[in-house]
Amino acid sequence: MSGHTTLAPAGTAAKRKEARTVILSSYLGSTIEFYDFLLYATAAAVAFPKVFFTGTDEWVGVVAAYATFAAGYVARPLGGVIFGHFGDKVGRKGMLIISMAMMGIASTLIGLIPGAGVIGPWGAVILVLLRVCQGIAVGGEWGGAALMALEHADPKRRGFAASFVNAGAPTGAVLGTVVMGIFSALPQDAFLAWGWRVPFLLSFVLLIVGMFVRLRVSESPIFAEAVAKEDAQGAKRKIPLLDVLRRPKALIMIMFAGAAGFGLQVVLPTFSVTYAVSKGAPQQGVLYAFAGASAISILFVLLGGRLSDRLGRRPVMIAGLALFIAYLFPMFGMLGSGNVGLVFVAFTVALILHSCLYGPLAAFVSEQFGTTSRYTGAAVGYQLATLIGAGFTPGIIAGLYKDSGQSIFPVVVFLSVMALVSIVFIALTRESKNNDLTTVR
């Protein structure tokens, strides 16, 4: 016993160092993945309608571009199923390397697609196919990154550790929006001809950086222990997806609990950017305003995760959604002012409120499942939430706005109802911050 006591501090220190390395790698990897994925959202707002959907009414082109954006969200659950299966069977680390390579290659190729003036409608077809590849990749990325951070972390700090993965989303949004904003300063003809492509081509550089980071982390200890235990007992390994579907309640609950968070999140870099520009705010100023607000929100995502370790996941998430509902009309009022300063305030407050939901969400979702089906359950549940919450929301609200004679009222009603539905499902889901992650069920 005395020998064990002597070795414990060194072992604890090593585990903490490893946990910090894994959390950092998950954050950086998530940042790179979401740079690629959310860069598409910005391009769909400012470039794709004019590059791939020429010859149509302005808002018709916007709706069409958002339809291609939705293809990525349709594909994300498929990515969750594929990568989740092998992540629960083979391990988390290998799947993260594959998902990053897939995302980086698809994003680079998007920057090389000829416009409608060169190959007609085939440009839009190729765009959709590559967007599907992006969706599959990010569908596998999130689950693995979240679980690596969660399963290496101190049990009392799981919400904070997992929040670094979700903090990668606004960080990626900042990088993507800043880069796109720089090139949007070009003359319009130059920007539409080649300027918008450069941020996508830079994805290949980020891919190299991301691979270097990913190759340096170790496999999840909780997963390795669970597999070793099953092997020692001679237990037959279950098919993870079937194991999750045998108890579908958790999947359904987290799907609807998280939907509004993604719906509200995706409205900001898509419809809100387009709306602010249409009301007279300069395009580059709006993009920088969103980038600045996203940078501020990174700290609040981490704060949301830390608060959830103290107060519980559910109270923090419900408070964020309720406040966001109350804020919708003032937000669109500032976005429609034509004043970049007010647009910045609108984005900043919106993202701070959203962080209350987004910070705890990674831990909230992942803690609902047992170890040997956690990757599949968390990835599929999370990605289904993104599909129903974000996949079609930009197109729906752009259509509502256009069909109502450009009134913002139906947009606010739609987003409010979505948020209320998520509040109900969060309230009905059991609190998970004290769940034992080593349980295999």
Side-chain angles (χ1 to χ4, degrees):
M1 290 295 293
S2 60
H4 176 75
T5 304
T6 301
L7 292 174
T12 301
K15 287 181 180 179
R16 287 176 178 171
K17 181 179 179 181
E18 176 67 15
R20 288 194 294 269
T21 301
V22 170
I23 290 168
L24 176 62
S25 70
S26 292
Y27 169 67
L28 292 176
S30 179
T31 295
I32 293 168
E33 289 273 330
F34 279 96
Y35 165 86
D36 291 334
F37 195 75
L38 296 176
L39 180 64
Y40 192 105
T42 305
V46 300
F48 291 167
K50 298 183 178 75
V51 174
F52 297 108
F53 302 98
T54 57
T56 63
D57 174 81
E58 179 183 358
W59 278 100
V60 172
V62 169
V63 172
Y66 288 165
T68 69
F69 175 78
Y73 284 92
V74 173
R76 282 175 71 159
L78 177 60
V81 171
I82 296 170
F83 283 91
H85 175 82
F86 290 102
D88 283 326
K89 286 284 191 179
V90 180
R92 315 324 194 187
K93 179 180 175 179
M95 295 304 103
L96 288 173
I97 292 171
I98 294 172
S99 69
M100 177 168 284
M102 187 174 183
M103 173 64 85
I105 293 170
S107 299
T108 302
L109 291 176
I110 286 174
L112 299 175
I113 303 174
V118 178
I119 59 173
W122 285 107
V125 172
I126 297 171
L127 185 66
V128 170
L129 292 175
L130 291 175
R131 181 59 175 173
V132 168
C133 291
Q134 279 193 323
I136 292 173
V138 82
E141 160 69 24
W142 180 88
L147 266 56
M148 287 288 277
L150 195 81
E151 293 177 347
H152 276 86
D154 182 319
K156 294 182 179 179
R157 297 171 65 86
R158 292 196 311 239
F160 181 61
S163 70
F164 276 86
V165 178
N166 277 0
T171 309
V174 170
L175 292 177
T177 307
V178 167
V179 174
M180 190 65 79
I182 290 172
F183 285 93
S184 73
L186 291 167
Q188 185 77 346
D189 289 346
F191 174 69
L192 294 177
W194 60 268
W196 70 268
R197 299 177 183 275
V198 178
F200 285 96
L201 298 177
L202 290 174
S203 298
F204 192 75
V205 178
L206 294 178
L207 172 61
I208 296 172
V209 175
M211 283 297 184
F212 175 78
V213 172
R214 278 280 153 84
L215 290 169
R216 296 171 64 88
V217 302
S218 62
E219 184 56 83
S220 159
I222 290 179
F223 172 77
E225 182 181 344
V227 171
K229 183 178 179 181
E230 285 193 342
D231 290 343
Q233 294 173 345
K236 184 179 179 181
R237 299 291 300 279
K238 300 175 182 177
I239 297 175
L241 181 60
L242 295 181
D243 194 37
V244 170
L245 294 178
R246 273 195 289 267
R247 292 179 288 270
K249 180 181 177 181
L251 200 64
I252 294 170
M253 298 299 280
I254 62 175
M255 180 172 65
F256 288 101
F262 296 110
L264 295 171
Q265 179 189 48
V266 80
V267 162
L268 298 177
T270 55
F271 176 81
S272 296
V273 168
T274 306
Y275 178 76
V277 172
S278 72
K279 293 297 184 180
Q283 177 175 289
Q284 187 179 28
V286 172
L287 292 176
Y288 284 144
F290 180 70
S294 296
I296 292 171
S297 77
I298 294 168
L299 293 177
F300 285 90
V301 170
L302 301 177
L303 177 61
R306 191 71 187 103
L307 280 175
S308 77
D309 285 328
R310 295 177 177 271
L311 305 177
R313 317 295 186 219
R314 296 188 306 168
V316 178
M317 295 166 71
I318 289 173
L321 280 173
L323 290 171
F324 209 123
I325 291 173
Y327 177 64
L328 282 169
F329 272 120
M331 180 185 79
F332 281 111
M334 287 185 281
L335 289 173
S337 67
N339 183 297
V340 172
L342 288 177
V343 170
F344 171 72
V345 172
F347 281 140
T348 300
V349 175
L351 287 170
I352 288 173
L353 295 179
H354 182 265
S355 298
C356 294
L357 173 71
Y358 203 53
L361 189 61
F364 173 80
V365 170
S366 302
E367 288 165 345
Q368 308 296 326
F369 302 95
T371 302
T372 54
S373 62
R374 184 171 295 131
Y375 198 144
T376 301
V380 173
Y382 190 91
Q383 303 311 332
L384 285 173
T386 68
L387 171 60
I388 64 173
F392 302 101
T393 295
I396 290 172
I397 62 175
L400 289 172
Y401 181 71
K402 178 176 71 73
D403 294 342
S404 64
Q406 300 190 358
S407 167
I408 208 64
F409 181 77
V411 172
V412 172
V413 171
F414 179 84
L415 295 175
S416 297
V417 170
M418 181 184 291
L420 286 171
V421 170
S422 283
I423 287 174
V424 170
F425 277 88
I426 292 170
L428 293 175
T429 304
R430 62 190 174 93
E431 180 57 58
S432 61
K433 80 181 184 74
N434 295 320
N435 286 2
D436 181 4
L437 292 189
T438 62
T439 301
V440 182
R441 63 182 189 273

